[in-house]
């Protein structure tokens, strides 16, 4: 019988890299731009995670799953994880360097994006999510903070901390913002990859309007109620096509949400599909 031989990824060590500028802080440590010392000189992002912090926050299983999932993914809109290594104190993730940085910083800087830019990002997100779902991976944490931009301004899903193999049933308590969670997750019910369809609708709304649709600054419970009731108000500045797509994704019943293949054929997506390059302008 043919034994499946896993191609051994070579052993890597910190000494294999010249450490460049810090790119910022991740959840469990810093991220640095690095370059391999020996030819060919690869430029990478090295994410350092402190084992002590991982153990304290009891997320080692989540980190293991994140590494296992991301290492097996190959897609232009999914950030590559090339490998990892560790020393006594830290785990190092060798990740693809995203040349244009963090998408949420652009969203904060501009306040909101044009519908043309938003449409192109949503098309790329739908493409990436179709790929993830084809491998039975649900992301479950689609939001601007988890998205990066490649050197040509293309979108890259950069974080898989909450992704699981479908179907999922969350055991860990939710932490952080509810804004992107669908009714079935805030109500702790079983959920499928259709949670990512809902999050794509939330993302579309936030790109165009500058804030998520069910945000309620009076707090967690208010947001919870607005999500459970799908209390959706779309501002008049939003075009009819964008309004149509958002409404078709933000459906309480997961079965009624627009499938990703239909999202990619939607008029609001087709009308802006790459007619020439434009990274300039928001
Ligand atoms: C998805 C995940 C949740 N997010 C993250 O991990 C974050 C945590 C910290 C950085 C980022 N992680 C990554 N960042 C990059 N590229 C990058 C980032 C920042 C800048 C930038 O604008 N500056 C340096 C600016 C330059 C100008 N000065 C003024 C401010 C900083 C430019 C390029 N590539 C890969 C990664 C990755 F993911 F592989 F680690």
């Amino acid at each position: 019988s043919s034994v499946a031989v896993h191609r051994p990824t070579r052993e890597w060590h910190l000494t294999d890299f010249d450490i460049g500028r810090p790119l910022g802080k991740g959840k469990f440590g810093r991220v640095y731009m690095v370059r391999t010392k020996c030819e060919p000189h690869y430029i990478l992002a090295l994410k350092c995670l402190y084992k002590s912090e991982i153990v304290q926050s009891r997320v080692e299983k989540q980190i293991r799953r994140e590494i296992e999932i991301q290492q097996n993914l190959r897609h232009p809109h999914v950030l590559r994880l090339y490998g990892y290594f560790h020393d006594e104190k830290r785990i190092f993730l060798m990740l693809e360097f995203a040349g244009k940085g963090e998408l949420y910083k652009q969203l904060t800087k501009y306040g909101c994006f044009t519908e043309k830019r938003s449409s192109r990002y949503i098309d790329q997100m739908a493409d990436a999510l179709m790929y993830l779902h084809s491998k039975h991976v649900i992301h479950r944490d689609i939001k601007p903070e988890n998205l990066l931009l490649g050197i040509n301004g293309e979108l890259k899903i950069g974080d898989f901390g909450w992704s699981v193999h479908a179907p999922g049933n969350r055991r860990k308590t939710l932490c952080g913002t509810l804004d992107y969670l669908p009714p079935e997750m805030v109500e702790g019910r079983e959920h499928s990859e259709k949670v990512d369809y809902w999050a794509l609708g939330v993302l579309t709304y936030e790109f165009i309007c500058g804030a998520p649709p069910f945000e309620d600054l009076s707090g967690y419970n208010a947001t919870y109620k607005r999500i459970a009731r799908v209390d959706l108000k779309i501002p008049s500045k939003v075009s009819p096509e964008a309004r149509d797509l958002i409404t078709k994704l933000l459906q309480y019943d997961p079965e009624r949400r627009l499938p990703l293949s239909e999202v990619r054929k939607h008029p609001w997506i087709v009308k802006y599909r790459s007619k020439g390059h434009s990274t300039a302008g928001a």
Side-chain angles (χ1 to χ4, degrees):
S1 69
S2 65
V3 177
V5 178
H6 286 276
R7 182 173 50 80
T9 48
R10 59 159 282 187
E11 288 292 306
W12 291 89
H13 302 279
L14 207 46
T15 52
D16 293 324
F17 302 98
D18 287 320
I19 308 296
R21 66 177 177 162
L23 294 172
K25 260 192 73 53
K27 265 178 303 198
F28 298 101
R30 293 191 172 286
V31 181
Y32 296 90
M33 185 176 189
V34 303
R35 191 186 72 162
T36 51
K37 276 181 181 158
C38 52
E39 301 263 340
H41 292 305
Y42 292 122
I43 298 277
L44 299 168
L46 197 64
K47 190 174 259 192
C48 310
L49 311 172
Y50 280 90
K51 290 181 179 176
S52 57
E53 285 195 31
I54 289 172
V55 171
Q56 269 156 28
S57 10
R58 291 195 295 280
V59 289
E60 56 271 37
K61 263 210 299 294
Q62 193 173 314
I63 300 284
R64 255 186 249 281
R65 187 168 54 204
E66 180 174 351
I67 291 173
E68 195 260 331
I69 285 176
Q70 198 167 357
Q71 214 173 8
N72 295 311
L73 299 175
R74 303 273 191 286
H75 189 275
H77 298 308
V78 173
L79 201 75
R80 271 300 298 283
L81 171 61
Y82 298 110
Y84 62 95
F85 55 91
H86 61 96
D87 62 16
E88 70 285 354
K89 286 196 174 55
R90 297 163 294 184
I91 297 170
F92 299 93
L93 305 183
M94 294 161 58
L95 289 151
E96 176 185 354
F97 172 68
K100 280 216 165 71
E102 300 171 272
L103 180 140
Y104 87 91
K105 284 191 178 171
Q106 300 263 328
L107 188 54
T108 312
K109 180 178 158 191
Y110 291 113
C112 63
F113 295 142
T114 61
E115 292 206 9
K116 176 176 178 179
R117 183 169 170 160
S118 304
S119 168
R120 288 179 165 192
Y121 285 154
I122 296 304
D123 187 29
Q124 294 166 28
M125 271 309 290
D127 188 12
L129 289 173
M130 285 178 79
Y131 171 75
L132 293 185
H133 294 171
S134 73
K135 308 197 81 128
H136 306 296
V137 171
I138 320 176
H139 190 279
R140 297 201 309 176
D141 197 14
I142 298 296
K143 58 186 176 188
E145 292 77 0
N146 286 341
L147 305 176
L148 297 170
L149 294 169
I151 197 63
N152 298 315
E154 75 280 19
L155 185 142
K156 305 242 176 200
I157 300 178
D159 187 277
F160 286 79
W162 273 96
S163 50
V164 283
H165 283 100
N169 211 338
R170 175 182 41 79
R171 271 178 296 287
K172 297 270 297 180
T173 47
L174 291 171
C175 54
T177 171
L178 280 175
D179 283 316
Y180 274 76
L181 298 179
E184 63 271 24
M185 276 189 83
V186 297
E187 291 160 3
R189 287 186 281 112
E190 205 206 32
H191 51 272
S192 69
E193 75 281 349
K194 295 191 176 52
V195 303
D196 290 339
Y197 295 19
W198 173 278
L200 191 63
V202 175
L203 196 67
T204 308
Y205 182 104
E206 180 164 3
F207 282 168
I208 299 172
C209 302
F214 307 109
E215 184 176 66
D216 190 316
L217 299 178
S218 59
Y220 193 93
N221 292 328
T223 304
Y224 175 107
K225 283 196 192 87
R226 293 199 59 200
I227 291 170
R229 290 193 195 121
V230 191
D231 171 17
L232 177 63
K233 300 183 195 78
I234 303 180
S236 53
K237 75 164 190 177
V238 177
S239 72
E241 298 91 345
R243 175 185 300 271
D244 180 72
L245 178 59
I246 291 167
T247 312
K248 285 174 177 166
L249 288 168
L250 295 181
Q251 290 287 318
Y252 182 88
D253 177 358
E255 299 311 311
R256 292 172 54 85
R257 293 172 198 158
L258 196 66
L260 296 169
S261 52
E262 292 306 307
V263 170
R264 300 207 67 199
K265 294 177 204 153
H266 190 278
W268 187 67
I269 297 290
V270 172
K271 81 190 262 190
Y272 293 116
R273 184 161 284 136
S274 45
K275 289 188 180 65
H277 299 280
S278 75
T279 41

